Amino acid sequence: MDKMHTSSDAEVLTLFKDGAFVADTWRDLNEDEALTGLDHVHVPLNVYLENKAELDANKGAIGLALVPGDDVDALGEDATKFASIVVEFPAFTDGRGYSYARLLRERYNYEGELRARGDILTDQVAYFFRCGFDALTVVNEATKKALQENDTGAVSIYMQPVAPSEVPVGTRPFLRRAN
Amino acid sequence: MYRYDEFDAAFVRQRTEQFSHQVKRRLSGELTEDQFRPLRLMNGLYLQLHAYMLRVAVPYGTLNSKQMRKLAHIARTYDRGYGHFTTRQNIQYNWPKLKDVPAILEELASVEMHAIQTSGNCIRNVTTDQFAGAAADEIIDPRPVAEIIRQWSSLHPEFSYLPRKFKIAITGAPQDRAAVKFHDIGLMATQNDAGDIGWRVFVGGGLGRTPMVAKEISDFVAHEYLLPYLEAILRVYNMYGRRDNKYKARIKILVHETGIETIREQVEAEFAEIKDGVLKLPQGELTRITEYFAAPSFEEQEQTKIDIAQFQVTDSAYARFLQNNLHPHSEEGYVSLTISLKPIGGAPGDATDKQMDAVADLAEQYSFDELRVSHEQNLVLPHVAMKDVRAIYDVLVAEGLETGNAGLISDMIACPGLDYCALANARSIPVAQAISEKFANREDEFGELKLKISGCINACGHHHVGHIGILGVEKKGTELYQITLGGDATEDATIGKILGRGVTPEEVPGALEKLLDRYIAERQSPKESFLEAYRRLGDAPFKEALYG
Ligand code: HEM
Ligand code: SF4
């Protein structure tokens, strides 16, 4: 039987995608784990850069885990090889990952799943989506509640163009809205 | 002046609703103070020692009379009858109740104002020359570009969690009245060899505990490329600015530690990628925004100069006002008029609700409905016909706003200091008052003199850029004041030099007297200002005057 997620499940689920909390089919690479036979595993950038050939040879889906301070330009177009990239936000105040997301999407043509994970506040949800994230791993209870109730109260008019998918508004060249 | 269209209005309304909702959740206990803090900090709401403080943005210091009346109304209704104009051309209310904040924000929204991004580690209110669009020496009115930057930076999704706050200042005149070289980014209008007007870009200036003069990163960026260029700088800063130490997180430290050449390379590389992208400014948009700032319909004036001498004997206070508080206007027969918020012995930058209302009336009647807030914490009527100056002055006298001290020693900047600030080492306001009272009868003799006082090394009172700067320090439990000389916030940006050992609070006015007497004795003519004399003479005579 298909497992339906009930609201009590939602409290333990942390991955928010396409408007709902869903089960997470990915995991992080363990320390000292072999780099073969992986499937649905997020691999740290430095591990990937040092073991490209070996990791690229995996049959299963490989993802990438970025932390603040990683050099996204060193990854470059290799980004397109991944099925999922997760960007870590260890503290909500550390906004480096927003730039990483835009570079991945706008410069390096990454089209796969892009997750933000960590200390995520309600106010930031819209910023994440605008910078190109399409999934959030959330632990903050207030944020989870706001997402569940579709009540982030985000401002829907944007004063500057960011992602190419945003829709122009009226005749002003830089105004956008959510699509 | 810029006017909101339906989208700007909806933007501010939505943001106000969003924040009001969060305030309600805080009041109901649903959000803890820890959860609420980052939200309120993006909306100009600080928690001070005893109360909340709300900082309202006055974009590039420009207001109309309706907005000023609203600020007065808020002071009267939700605060203790006054507001404080800041060194960043904003206004602060010191005693709003949290439960009233949604109502205050709604009131503000009704006159196209808000508190968005007046705090937090984001791009703050863009500041400019208080005489923008009026000054005789201007190359270009910087306000259209300031407005374009304001819009681009509003709730920018990539740059709302920067390493630290980020301040941009812009001037359209070669004489810099906006201290652009002491901002994270400073923009100065310039003309290239082809005769096109564009922007010199400076990066990495700031005050605080590590004062730095900004370095030039580009000698010419055309209007159309300005936003991509700014986005490139912000992206480099967002990715590489230090986040391990809040005192080393400003872009000035990045520029200092990495070197301007490397930063320039990084910025230029980023700029090359995005230059011709979506942020390239179409001429049509520049024209559209510029039209909002079209010059008012000036009339030909019969009176084209003001004879100050005739009042010198009969009405010396008015003569002083004329001498000091008028600034040359680009239009014949007009001036810009500074309303000093530095009465002798008062708290710098404060205005009562009644004063704000009176100033709003004056703007409506005499200045094409326009008002400015200056970074020196004064108000300005930018477009006044010379024939109306007397009538304006009479109203100012009735409101206690007639102090004719713009640019003089008592037109000083002083931070709140030990009386109000938990971080202070020493008092600022009593020292400021003692100085302005001591020299009330001599300040004309001293001429142009910028005195700036901070109660601790955070430098809210800009002491580093005072011609004379005073910094409160603490030594073995007593307050001492360090004196710096030669600071300058203008295009000749200089950080003042410490003269020698500190003096006690009681000694400060006397110490300044010794320095100023020496200046009077040494100057080549009354036309040579204190700063010019100091630059010519160096430290030595002043050290000798003070320490013997
Ligand atoms: C009691 C209230 C105040 C406290 C606790 C306070 C605290 C601070 C601190 C800690 C900084 C340093 C921030 C940094 O490291 O970047 C700072 C900077 C600043 N403060 Fe204040 N301040 C207060 C009131 C004021 C007032 C009333 C003014 C206006 C006159 C002011 C103007 C400034 C300015 C312009 C800066 C920026 C200096 C720069 O660009 O580096 N502050 N303040
Ligand atoms: S300079 Fe120091 S004492 Fe003065 S307001 Fe700023 S933090 Fe407080």
Side-chain angles (χ1 to χ4, degrees):
Chain A
M1 196 180 80
D2 219 25
K3 185 171 180 325
M4 296 289 290
H5 294 303
T6 64
S7 59
S8 67
D9 282 334
E11 280 159 30
V12 292
L13 296 174
T14 56
L15 178 64
F16 183 80
K17 201 174 174 188
D18 299 327
F21 280 92
V22 296
D24 191 351
T25 55
W26 288 78
R27 66 173 176 86
D28 287 345
L29 184 73
N30 296 315
E31 231 172 291
D32 302 326
E33 185 174 353
L35 301 181
T36 51
L38 300 176
D39 191 19
H40 284 73
V41 175
H42 287 119
V43 179
L45 177 66
N46 60 337
V47 174
Y48 176 73
L49 291 176
E50 284 159 22
N51 306 279
K52 252 189 207 186
E54 198 179 354
L55 282 161
D56 285 347
N58 269 282
K59 294 249 161 31
I62 298 291
L64 193 69
L66 296 177
V67 294
D70 278 347
D71 182 1
V72 175
D73 293 316
L75 176 67
E77 299 275 354
D78 277 346
T80 54
K81 292 181 188 166
F82 298 98
S84 172
I85 297 181
V86 56
V87 181
E88 202 68 55
F89 287 81
F92 77 87
T93 48
D94 191 333
R96 282 177 276 191
Y98 296 100
S99 290
Y100 302 162
R102 289 196 65 189
L103 289 176
L104 289 172
R105 289 290 194 216
E106 296 167 43
R107 188 152 314 152
Y108 300 120
N109 305 313
Y110 175 66
E111 290 176 356
E113 178 187 80
L114 187 55
R115 297 181 178 189
R117 177 168 72 187
D119 188 12
I120 294 174
L121 304 177
T122 313
D123 239 27
Q124 297 178 301
V125 168
Y127 294 159
F128 283 119
F129 289 133
R130 290 196 64 198
C131 286
F133 290 101
D134 55 7
L136 308 173
T137 302
V138 186
V139 286
N140 181 304
E141 285 305 324
T143 310
K144 282 178 85 172
K145 185 160 181 278
L147 284 167
Q148 267 158 3
E149 293 168 3
N150 193 17
D151 184 27
T152 59
V155 176
S156 67
I157 293 163
Y158 309 148
M159 285 287 153
Q160 64 296 100
V162 174
S165 61
E166 292 170 355
V167 187
V169 174
T171 54
R172 286 166 58 173
F174 297 147
L175 270 192
R176 296 289 186 275
R177 63 173 170 77
N179 61 16
Chain B
M1 215 178 130
Y2 187 69
R3 299 306 313 261
Y4 281 11
D5 65 14
E6 64 198 286
F7 304 112
D8 299 295
F11 176 84
V12 170
R13 195 180 58 242
Q14 287 185 18
R15 180 63 170 187
T16 302
E17 280 167 11
Q18 181 190 29
F19 186 54
S20 298
H21 186 58
Q22 289 156 350
V23 169
K24 279 181 198 125
R25 288 166 59 188
R26 172 70 192 112
L27 287 170
S28 74
E30 192 180 326
L31 289 178
T32 63
E33 173 56 28
D34 269 358
Q35 291 169 326
F36 182 56
R37 187 171 172 278
L39 307 176
R40 67 172 164 75
L41 277 182
M42 284 288 163
N43 290 280
L45 193 60
Y46 285 82
L47 191 54
Q48 299 279 345
L49 276 179
H50 308 292
Y52 283 101
M53 182 271 276
L54 181 68
R55 185 180 293 152
V56 176
V58 181
Y60 33 92
T62 300
L63 285 167
N64 61 26
S65 60
K66 194 170 152 199
Q67 292 173 322
M68 186 59 112
R69 285 195 194 97
K70 184 60 82 177
L71 296 179
H73 169 78
I74 290 170
R76 188 161 49 236
T77 313
Y78 304 100
D79 207 302
R80 297 185 178 174
Y82 70 96
H84 176 80
F85 290 94
T86 76
T87 51
R88 300 216 69 256
Q89 300 183 305
N90 293 320
I91 182 169
Q92 283 174 194
Y93 294 105
N94 287 313
W95 307 100
K97 295 193 181 63
L98 183 57
K99 72 168 176 48
D100 290 336
V101 168
I104 297 173
L105 294 178
E106 251 172 67
E107 299 249 22
L108 289 169
S110 74
V111 294
E112 307 185 354
M113 294 183 82
H114 57 72
I116 300 169
Q117 282 175 217
T118 56
S119 55
N121 293 337
C122 52
I123 302 170
R124 304 287 189 86
N125 187 24
V126 180
T127 53
T128 189
D129 180 0
Q130 69 271 25
F131 301 125
D137 64 347
E138 194 164 85
I139 300 174
I140 188 177
D141 183 350
R143 291 172 303 159
V145 169
E147 172 60 24
I148 287 165
I149 295 172
R150 183 192 74 79
Q151 293 186 15
W152 160 77
S153 65
S154 291
L155 304 187
H156 196 299
E158 184 180 353
F159 305 133
S160 290
Y161 294 90
L162 296 168
R164 202 73 181 83
K165 60 188 170 183
F166 202 91
K167 301 173 180 181
I168 302 176
I170 177 170
T171 177
Q175 296 181 43
D176 175 14
R177 290 171 288 264
V180 305
K181 290 186 190 168
F182 290 100
H183 283 74
D184 296 285
I185 291 179
L187 301 171
M188 192 178 269
T190 185
Q191 206 158 14
N192 68 7
D193 295 339
D196 296 328
I197 293 172
W199 302 96
R200 286 173 77 190
V201 182
F202 298 87
V203 65
L207 299 171
R209 62 187 67 209
T210 324
M212 301 243 183
V213 177
K215 303 221 165 50
E216 187 174 87
I217 186 166
S218 174
D219 61 2
F220 191 88
V221 176
H223 288 306
E224 60 181 335
Y225 292 122
L226 189 59
L227 289 184
Y229 201 84
L230 295 181
E231 189 143 304
I233 295 176
L234 264 299
R235 182 167 292 156
V236 167
Y237 172 56
N238 188 43
M239 294 205 292
Y240 304 118
R242 285 181 61 171
R243 291 173 187 265
D244 58 324
N245 177 341
K246 115 179 205 185
Y247 297 114
K248 297 193 186 295
R250 296 287 289 268
I251 196 172
K252 64 188 174 188
I253 303 292
L254 179 68
V255 171
H256 181 72
E257 290 181 348
T258 313
I260 185 69
E261 290 78 20
T262 306
I263 298 287
R264 186 181 294 116
E265 273 166 33
Q266 291 170 337
V267 168
E268 290 288 341
E270 188 58 41
F271 176 58
E273 294 277 354
I274 59 179
K275 189 173 179 225
D276 289 302
V278 69
L279 281 176
K280 189 172 161 188
L281 180 67
Q283 180 60 48
E285 178 67 355
L286 180 59
T287 307
R288 185 182 77 84
I289 302 276
T290 303
E291 279 166 3
Y292 285 110
F293 298 93
S297 39
F298 294 117
E299 283 163 16
E300 199 159 324
Q301 295 294 325
E302 268 176 38
Q303 185 182 344
T304 56
K305 55 183 197 307
I306 296 179
D307 177 13
I308 300 177
Q310 62 168 314
F311 301 106
Q312 228 118 44
V313 177
T314 53
D315 192 349
S316 62
Y318 183 51
R320 290 187 71 214
F321 182 88
L322 296 175
Q323 183 68 44
N324 297 315
N325 290 33
L326 303 184
H327 190 268
H329 199 285
S330 55
E331 196 71 18
E332 201 178 29
Y334 285 84
V335 289
S336 299
L337 183 152
T338 297
I339 300 171
S340 169
L341 297 181
K342 318 286 177 60
I344 301 299
D350 282 359
T352 66
D353 61 323
K354 189 161 169 289
Q355 290 175 327
M356 288 188 243
D357 276 334
V359 170
D361 291 346
L362 288 175
E364 192 170 29
Q365 198 174 349
Y366 297 113
S367 184
F368 300 93
D369 208 30
E370 265 197 53
L371 272 167
R372 306 290 172 75
V373 182
S374 79
H375 92 273
E376 290 175 320
Q377 302 180 275
N378 293 318
L379 300 175
V380 172
L381 298 171
H383 313 296
V384 168
M386 288 178 180
K387 68 171 164 44
D388 295 330
V389 170
R390 179 79 221 192
I392 293 170
Y393 179 75
D394 290 338
V395 174
L396 294 177
V397 170
E399 300 297 335
L401 287 169
E402 78 283 14
T403 318
N405 63 350
L408 302 184
I409 189 170
S410 61
D411 181 14
M412 62 182 79
I413 296 180
C415 80
L418 200 58
D419 298 298
Y420 305 97
C421 174
L423 305 176
N425 289 326
R427 290 165 293 166
S428 307
I429 307 258
V431 171
Q433 288 169 341
I435 293 169
S436 74
E437 276 158 20
K438 171 139 190 122
F439 298 117
N441 297 320
R442 289 190 68 193
E443 55 180 338
D444 294 294
E445 188 190 344
F446 303 148
E448 191 196 359
L449 186 64
K450 306 241 184 244
L451 175 69
K452 304 187 197 253
I453 308 176
S454 305
C456 82
I457 194 63
N458 285 312
C460 303
H462 298 191
H463 65 276
H464 299 296
V465 292
H467 300 173
I468 300 179
I470 298 181
L471 166 65
V473 293
E474 198 213 282
K475 280 241 168 77
K476 300 187 184 119
T478 56
E479 294 167 86
L480 277 187
Y481 294 85
Q482 257 173 13
I483 297 176
T484 60
L485 298 184
D488 182 2
T490 70
E491 64 281 4
D492 302 318
T494 313
I495 292 161
K497 256 178 77 179
I498 298 173
L499 195 59
R501 71 185 144 75
V503 300
T504 65
E506 299 71 35
E507 289 169 344
V508 172
L512 292 199
E513 187 172 41
K514 286 181 190 154
L515 297 173
L516 290 166
D517 281 341
R518 178 55 72 96
Y519 152 64
I520 301 282
E522 299 272 356
R523 71 183 176 190
Q524 291 175 321
S525 82
K527 282 211 166 68
E528 188 182 46
S529 71
F530 177 84
L531 184 62
E532 287 162 346
Y534 173 81
R535 285 189 174 149
R536 179 171 57 81
L537 296 163
D539 270 353
F542 297 100
K543 273 196 172 135
E544 189 195 82
L546 186 54
Y547 303 111

